[in-house]
Amino acid sequence: WLLSAQLTIIGELSKIAMPVVFNEPLSFLQRISEYMEHTNLIHKACSLSDSIDRMQVVAAFAVSAVASQWERTGKPFNPLLGETYELTREDEGYRLISEQVSHHPPISAFHAQSLKQEFEFHGSIYPKLKFWGKSVEAEPKGIMTLELLKHKEVYTWTNPMCCVHNIILGKLWIEQYGTVEIVNHRTGDKCVLNFKPCGMFGKELHKVEGHIQDKSKKKRRVIYGKWTECMYSMDPKVYEAYKKSDKKTGGDSKKLKPVSEYSLFSEESDEMPEVQETVTVIPGSALLWRILPRPADSAQMYNFTSFAMTLNELEPGMERLLAPTDCRLRPDIRAMENGDMDSSSTEKERLEEKQRASRRERSVDEEEWSTSWFQLGTNPHTGAEDWLYTGGYFDRNYTDCPSIY
């Protein structure tokens, strides 16, 4: 979702539509579905009897949900108002529906549910963007809500801050930073994760550290790793003992700023620090999650994961089941998928003009846009404003869907 901002902001500033050559053949709604790549972690959490054990797996899932962004330099297509995406994975035991519920500001809502009524995972995403000259920073607005139905538990969190560097000059690269708090609303347990900024010399690039505490604020687990690689868990006392014995560097005593805060308007690019590909595993740690290897041809395929490569598949007869607003049916994305960049560019311009014309017509008639599958309401667990799924999509009655393509 941050990458969708990286060139859109430049387009906003220059009033020039960005060419499709900067895109990858996926809609942002399909990007959202990549949260589900590691659904096995949700199934694992459902199977555990101890709430702290469940929390640490949920924390690993929250980290894994942003891992697919690593090295993804293509910009997903901005969803049209009313666009949808459906993903049903019987092998993973879930189905998901997402909808673009607002265009100004752009808001995407999604709802995933277990086919065996084990969990629901839902949220809405609308990043608040800041342009820093050489970089774009996005503050994620919107709540992630995971419900483990068997345990009658609800977990909520927001995603970390993100920054795309070198949007004007140099090689694009991403860092994520900030504090993520995951709350178990039934038990009062909390996981506090610190996505570390890379710092002046890149020592902290991609690192995530944090802890789980119970409702009495007693630390129960320490969690550490990298959002691009893996996450581990261990006993806090063992962790502290290890840290005390390992004082070879004094780096932790310095509070380093994100690279985006240094020389923001210089002509030189922010070079990505050299990545240390392995996490130092502390004795006594338990592996919570490891990123899946990417296909051998990933670099030639927009750095897609194996999961992302499946998202545009259209099996024979699928068109009859999908809503006509599904982005698999979107002509510009389909043309790019087929390698026809000229048609993709032409279709993209046509669709954007059709969207503008529809907005003008509604303005003249003083009509409000009506969403199909989500409505604005209140998240019952946080009390915050949220877009909530109203149901009915999988009844396959799409007669009232708007004509957006």
Side-chain angles (χ1 to χ4, degrees):
W1 55 272
L2 177 68
L3 288 172
S4 70
Q6 62 191 17
L7 291 169
T8 302
I9 283 231
I10 303 174
E12 291 271 335
L13 295 175
S14 63
K15 304 300 181 184
I16 298 174
M18 301 309 297
V20 296
V21 68
F22 292 110
N23 286 62
E24 62 179 25
L26 291 177
S27 167
F28 179 55
L29 295 182
Q30 291 165 301
R31 264 292 187 95
I32 291 175
S33 72
E34 294 185 56
Y35 284 164
M36 304 302 293
E37 181 171 358
H38 298 275
T39 306
N40 63 298
L41 293 171
I42 301 181
H43 291 306
K44 177 68 174 178
C46 290
S47 72
L48 297 170
S49 58
D50 182 77
S51 65
I52 298 297
D53 290 341
R54 289 194 294 273
M55 173 62 90
Q56 64 182 9
V57 177
V58 170
F61 173 74
V63 174
S64 77
V66 299
S68 67
Q69 294 184 30
W70 183 38
E71 295 188 331
R72 293 280 286 279
T73 56
K75 172 188 175 295
F77 283 74
N78 295 329
L80 302 171
L81 184 60
E83 185 174 309
T84 61
Y85 182 67
E86 168 193 341
L87 181 62
T88 299
R89 289 289 300 267
E90 293 186 1
D91 57 331
E92 294 288 344
Y94 71 87
R95 60 188 185 184
L96 173 146
I97 175 63
S98 56
E99 179 181 2
Q100 190 70 7
V101 294
S102 173
H103 189 65
H104 293 296
I107 303 175
S108 308
F110 73 93
H111 185 96
Q113 58 191 103
S114 164
L115 297 178
K116 296 182 178 179
Q117 289 75 52
E118 294 179 335
F119 69 85
E120 292 187 356
F121 177 50
H122 51 95
S124 51
I125 302 171
Y126 39 109
K128 182 179 180 181
L129 304 175
K130 292 181 181 179
F131 180 63
W132 292 104
K134 295 187 301 180
S135 62
V136 172
E137 184 183 65
E139 177 186 357
K141 297 289 186 179
I143 306 163
M144 304 293 108
T145 302
L146 175 62
E147 303 181 37
L148 303 185
L149 303 179
K150 171 185 173 182
H151 299 287
K152 298 181 180 179
E153 287 181 339
V154 177
Y155 301 80
T156 60
W157 67 91
T158 57
N159 286 319
M161 298 280 286
C162 295
C163 186
V164 174
H165 295 274
N166 297 335
I167 59 171
I168 304 294
L169 176 70
K171 182 180 179 180
L172 293 169
W173 61 279
I174 301 170
E175 67 171 324
Q176 304 200 58
Y177 44 83
T179 301
V180 172
E181 289 192 357
I182 306 170
V183 178
N184 182 331
H185 290 267
R186 184 180 71 84
T187 65
D189 300 335
K190 180 186 293 186
C191 179
V192 182
L193 295 174
N194 180 20
F195 285 70
K196 295 195 171 186
C198 76
M200 179 76 81
F201 304 106
K203 290 179 63 178
E204 306 295 309
L205 183 65
H206 301 157
K207 285 187 178 181
V208 183
E209 292 184 0
H211 67 272
I212 296 172
Q213 63 187 42
D214 58 26
K215 62 181 179 181
S216 64
K217 298 186 178 181
K218 178 182 178 181
K219 284 189 179 181
R220 302 293 298 277
R221 298 280 196 284
V222 167
I223 296 179
Y224 69 95
K226 290 185 177 181
W227 62 267
T228 55
E229 189 175 344
C230 57
M231 294 299 295
Y232 286 88
S233 168
M234 68 181 308
D235 180 87
K237 293 180 180 178
V238 178
Y239 179 81
E240 292 300 326
Y242 175 85
K243 284 295 186 181
K244 288 179 181 178
S245 65
D246 186 34
K247 294 185 177 180
K248 296 178 182 179
T249 64
D252 290 343
S253 64
K254 297 180 180 179
K255 290 188 176 181
L256 301 178
K257 298 179 179 180
V259 170
S260 57
E261 296 186 20
Y262 292 97
S263 306
L264 294 177
F265 295 96
S266 73
E267 295 182 359
E268 297 181 359
S269 63
D270 286 331
E271 292 300 325
M272 179 177 175
E274 184 177 346
V275 178
Q276 297 179 1
E277 292 297 343
T278 57
V279 172
T280 301
V281 182
I282 303 172
S285 301
L287 178 67
L288 296 176
W289 161 78
R290 185 179 297 280
I291 197 170
L292 297 174
R294 297 193 178 180
D297 58 349
S298 177
Q300 291 76 47
M301 298 289 291
Y302 307 94
N303 285 318
F304 279 2
T305 63
S306 297
F307 185 88
M309 288 183 180
T310 68
L311 297 178
N312 259 340
E313 289 182 355
L314 264 177
E315 299 292 338
M318 188 181 288
E319 295 96 329
R320 296 194 301 270
L321 295 175
L322 294 174
T325 49
D326 194 283
C327 43
R328 290 182 188 84
L329 308 176
R330 183 170 159 170
D332 51 354
I333 295 179
R334 183 54 55 186
M336 188 177 188
E337 175 88 2
N338 295 332
D340 189 344
M341 301 298 284
D342 289 339
S343 293
S344 178
S345 180
T346 300
E347 286 295 323
K348 179 174 178 286
E349 292 176 7
R350 180 185 67 82
L351 293 172
E352 289 171 347
E353 178 52 39
K354 182 176 181 178
Q355 184 172 235
R356 286 190 287 268
S358 296
R359 188 163 60 247
R360 288 193 295 268
E361 289 178 10
R362 291 195 303 275
S363 178
V364 169
D365 297 336
E366 297 184 347
E367 291 182 0
E368 294 289 333
W369 175 262
S370 178
T371 54
S372 297
W373 313 110
F374 292 81
Q375 68 179 9
L376 187 60
T378 300
N379 187 304
H381 312 292
T382 65
E385 189 175 81
D386 202 359
W387 285 88
L388 306 175
Y389 179 54
T390 56
Y393 175 88
F394 294 98
D395 295 338
R396 304 296 178 188
N397 181 3
Y398 305 133
T399 55
D400 293 332
C401 284
S403 175
I404 60 174
Y405 300 147

